Amino acid sequence: MKIKENLIHGLFMFNALLVVLVLIGIFALLVNTSIPAFREIDIKEFLFKAAWNPTSYVKETYGIGSMLVSSVMVTAGALLFAVPIGIGTAAYLSDVASPGVREMVKPIIEILAGIPSVVIGFLGIVFVGPIISRTFGLPNGLNAVNGSILLGVMALPTIISLSEDALSSVSKTYSDASLALGASRWQTVIRVKLPAALSGVIAACMLGMGRVIGETMIVLMATGCAPAMPKNFLDSVRTMTSTIAIELGEVPYYTTHYYALFAVGLVLFIITFCINMASDMVLHKYQGKRG
Amino acid sequence: MHQTKIEVRDFNFFYGDQRALKDIELDIYNNKVLGIIGPSGCGKSTFLRSINRMNDTIAGARVNGTMLIDGQNIFSEKMDVVELRRKVGMVFQKSNPFPKSIFDNVAYGLRVNGRKDKAYIEHKVEESLKDAALWEEVEDRLSVSAFDLSGGQQQRLCIARALAIEPEVLLMDEPASALDPTATAKVEELIQELKKKYTIVIVTHNMQQAARISDYTAFFMLGELIEYNETQKIFTNPEKKITEEYITGRFG
């Protein structure tokens, strides 16, 4: 009995450690493969120059500026509508909806979370794109707005369910007090519960953001992927993720271009890592305060 | 006889299949304090929370019979719950200030009811805090968090918050049960003051408290109203033996 228990214990401890090891391994691989890139590229130029032209006959340039801006743009655009809609929906579900509606909608939102991003990207090409091109009189609708809308849709389930959890865990004594003062359910959730659950809701939005900034397939399909500095939301954009996805398959191994793509991956890894860490910290602060 | 504020007839309350209140009949009079006593689970809180329909949020709860406030049926379709709760304020067992400043706590009820006039809100906050006998202790720190107050102060803050929207009836669900004797005495004193302006219904576990502060007392047991009379009569000469046994502490 004792041996069996120790064995199981050991097995799962190994699993847990393995997860940590994999994370460290990925980071080490990215760093290790990125370093050679900077033998030829100036790191300042890499981070701040806009031009990304690794296959030029004249002079290769490796500036990720336009990709950074593109990634930030589609992410910001996505959050711009996903955050208000997501929080509003969470508020509605946690306090206003009847139990029947809530029981019906919650599983549907979870299903939405499970839709493969390639399917959402598909919708961007055949559905959202044509609407955008007609509305704005553009030759095609593959641009930052399209990507933002789709990414927002993808972030919604995360934002809704985590915000809803945060709102539901606010003590019932607050909502009782508010309702007893003649506040409506909407007023109660917006004015009392939301401020009380704010850190949880912020963490939910940041996790949604983490998903969005790392998303590849949707931006690859729906944003047009022109490697130039976008001027506005109707421009085609190419994010860091789509650049890696497009180019890594065709790049000759162990060239500066190859290493530079890993460096792009490293930047992306650091960004998402920071977002996740930050949301984790916000969440812990919140749980600590309530406990 | 006194003027009736709330009239309860054949009132029944169900949690699903369980009948929590059985054929309750009583009148609550204007500017009087009604004390509700009874052992745990006797339905006294359920009764109290029916008056401002706070039980609406419980799934599977339903009522029958009538409960009228100023002649209007509280449970009728036409009754606007928000309107009702402005008329019938409530103070809870555990003090539950919002995680906001002292000022914002008291102003909350005014703001959600659409009051925007700053001068009026400031005036009303001060008046409510004075009515709740808290003003002198907090007047110079209205912007600090309500959580910085002591338990007794928090409960008086909750009373001030309820008073700010000028209710006609004030429901109190064991408002002093979590307070120390000094704070309890303050709250009791306050209730004596408040009944000049408000009709008060207070649920209490504490027999002496009911005897001290209420004009009328209702004794509930197992969902039934066993006896209802002037407090003095209930405590000196109860009609039913079981009331006497409960009051003298033979069970509880």
Side-chain angles (χ1 to χ4, degrees):
Chain A
M1 209 47 209
K2 190 89 184 133
I3 296 170
K4 200 171 149 195
E5 211 162 278
N6 281 340
L7 208 68
I8 292 171
H9 180 84
L11 183 71
F12 284 104
M13 193 166 77
F14 174 74
N15 280 346
L17 286 176
L18 198 63
V19 174
V20 179
L21 276 178
V22 166
L23 182 74
I24 295 172
I26 291 174
F27 184 68
L29 173 87
L30 282 173
V31 171
N32 193 40
T33 328
S34 301
I35 288 170
F38 298 106
R39 281 198 296 250
E40 298 200 14
I41 312 167
D42 180 42
I43 195 156
K44 265 194 205 149
E45 214 164 280
F46 176 76
L47 286 174
F48 301 113
K49 277 274 174 70
W52 175 264
N53 194 354
T55 51
S56 166
Y57 293 111
V58 191
K59 185 181 185 312
E60 295 121 33
T61 49
Y62 296 94
I64 65 168
S66 66
M67 291 180 230
L68 266 174
V69 171
S70 299
S71 285
V72 170
M73 237 170 101
V74 288
T75 305
L79 294 176
L80 208 63
F81 85 95
V83 165
I85 293 179
I87 294 176
T89 310
Y92 169 76
L93 285 178
S94 80
D95 283 75
V96 184
S98 67
V101 172
R102 180 166 43 233
E103 291 317 307
M104 198 181 72
V105 174
K106 278 187 80 172
I108 293 177
I109 288 169
E110 257 126 58
I111 292 171
L112 185 63
I115 295 178
S117 53
V118 67
V119 175
I120 300 181
F122 185 71
L123 279 177
I125 293 174
V126 302
F127 179 69
V128 182
I131 293 177
I132 292 171
S133 75
R134 246 179 290 138
T135 314
F136 296 100
L138 301 167
N140 68 59
L142 301 181
N143 52 29
V145 175
N146 194 336
S148 291
I149 292 172
L150 299 178
L151 289 172
V153 169
M154 204 195 68
L156 271 177
T158 309
I159 296 177
I160 294 173
S161 30
L162 293 177
S163 299
E164 209 257 343
D165 288 348
L167 287 171
S168 301
S169 66
V170 171
S171 166
K172 196 176 172 302
T173 61
Y174 293 154
S175 40
D176 273 359
S178 171
L179 292 171
L181 287 165
S184 69
R185 285 170 188 277
W186 270 115
Q187 285 173 324
T188 298
V189 66
I190 300 293
R191 288 176 177 238
V192 175
K193 292 184 85 176
L194 201 55
L198 195 61
S199 7
V201 173
I202 289 174
C205 296
M206 288 176 93
L207 283 174
M209 179 164 130
R211 272 197 79 183
V212 165
I213 203 160
E215 171 54 36
T216 309
M217 192 46 85
I218 288 176
V219 285
L220 196 61
M221 292 169 79
T223 60
C225 295
M229 185 59 95
K231 289 184 199 64
N232 59 50
F233 270 96
L234 293 174
D235 275 350
S236 168
V237 294
R238 191 208 257 198
T239 64
M240 292 183 281
T241 50
S242 38
T243 303
I244 298 173
I246 291 168
E247 296 180 8
L248 197 59
E250 314 194 340
V251 68
Y253 274 33
Y254 313 122
T255 57
T256 304
H257 186 188
Y258 172 85
Y259 295 127
L261 287 174
F262 276 86
V264 174
L266 182 63
V267 171
L268 196 60
F269 182 91
I270 291 170
I271 292 174
T272 45
F273 186 78
C274 289
I275 293 173
N276 282 326
M277 283 291 282
S279 59
D280 212 46
M281 273 159 61
V282 173
L283 207 60
H284 272 129
K285 187 183 146 220
Y286 158 74
Q287 280 159 348
K289 206 167 61 192
R290 280 195 316 126
Chain B
M1 223 30 200
H2 310 289
Q3 207 183 338
T4 301
K5 182 76 182 169
I6 296 168
E7 188 182 334
V8 185
R9 293 286 176 272
D10 279 330
F11 187 76
N12 290 277
F13 190 97
F14 302 85
Y15 292 109
D17 294 332
Q18 193 207 335
R19 194 167 162 210
L21 290 174
K22 296 167 191 163
D23 301 325
I24 307 296
E25 301 217 0
L26 62 84
D27 288 334
I28 300 172
Y29 302 113
N30 251 336
N31 295 64
K32 295 287 169 202
V33 179
L34 165 64
I36 301 179
I37 57 172
S40 301
C42 67
K44 54 192 193 300
S45 280
T46 302
F47 178 75
L48 192 76
R49 292 169 70 95
S50 296
I51 301 174
N52 66 343
R53 284 184 53 181
M54 282 302 283
N55 290 326
D56 280 14
T57 52
I58 300 166
R62 68 197 159 83
V63 300
N64 64 37
T66 50
M67 190 182 267
L68 308 176
I69 180 163
D70 298 327
Q72 278 181 295
N73 193 349
I74 288 173
F75 288 91
S76 108
E77 298 266 308
K78 276 178 279 174
M79 175 59 76
D80 178 356
V81 182
V82 167
E83 210 52 58
L84 172 71
R85 288 176 187 157
R86 273 175 219 169
K87 210 173 186 180
V88 185
M90 187 164 203
V91 177
F92 296 84
Q93 180 172 9
K94 224 178 126 231
S95 61
N96 55 355
F98 300 125
K100 297 175 187 280
S101 72
I102 294 171
F103 185 93
D104 287 343
N105 261 280
V106 184
Y108 181 83
L110 299 167
R111 289 179 178 148
V112 296
N113 288 314
R115 285 283 189 172
K116 293 215 171 67
D117 180 1
K118 258 194 163 171
Y120 175 82
I121 291 179
E122 271 171 30
H123 160 78
K124 202 66 214 179
V125 167
E126 182 178 338
E127 189 186 292
S128 309
L129 285 167
K130 278 179 178 161
D131 281 353
L134 188 61
W135 176 250
E136 280 163 27
E137 291 157 61
V138 301
E139 60 178 320
D140 52 352
R141 48 175 180 147
L142 292 175
S143 58
V144 306
S145 165
F147 292 158
D148 289 352
L149 298 174
S150 72
Q153 287 173 325
Q154 285 190 18
Q155 192 59 299
R156 277 178 285 147
L157 179 68
C158 293
I159 294 172
R161 183 174 67 184
L163 298 181
I165 53 171
E166 302 178 340
E168 294 164 19
V169 181
L170 199 56
L171 309 176
M172 303 179 122
D173 191 356
E174 300 187 46
S177 67
L179 304 182
D180 64 48
T182 325
T184 302
K186 277 198 168 167
V187 170
E188 287 184 12
E189 208 177 298
L190 180 59
I191 291 168
Q192 290 307 321
E193 269 311 301
L194 292 175
K195 77 171 184 186
K196 291 173 190 161
K197 288 200 213 168
Y198 307 92
T199 303
I200 295 172
V201 185
I202 177 168
V203 162
T204 177
H205 249 115
N206 180 334
M207 229 69 65
Q208 284 77 32
Q209 187 172 60
R212 276 194 303 266
I213 61 176
S214 62
D215 303 307
Y216 287 82
T217 299
F219 172 51
F220 279 62
M221 212 173 95
L222 299 172
E224 282 177 75
L225 176 60
I226 306 293
E227 194 166 345
Y228 171 53
N229 215 327
E230 285 175 25
T231 298
Q232 215 201 338
K233 279 210 184 113
I234 291 251
F235 279 90
T236 52
N237 189 18
E239 278 169 19
K240 300 211 172 113
K241 194 153 187 293
I242 193 160
T243 311
E244 190 190 341
E245 281 174 358
Y246 182 72
I247 287 167
T248 52
R250 240 165 289 166
F251 71 99

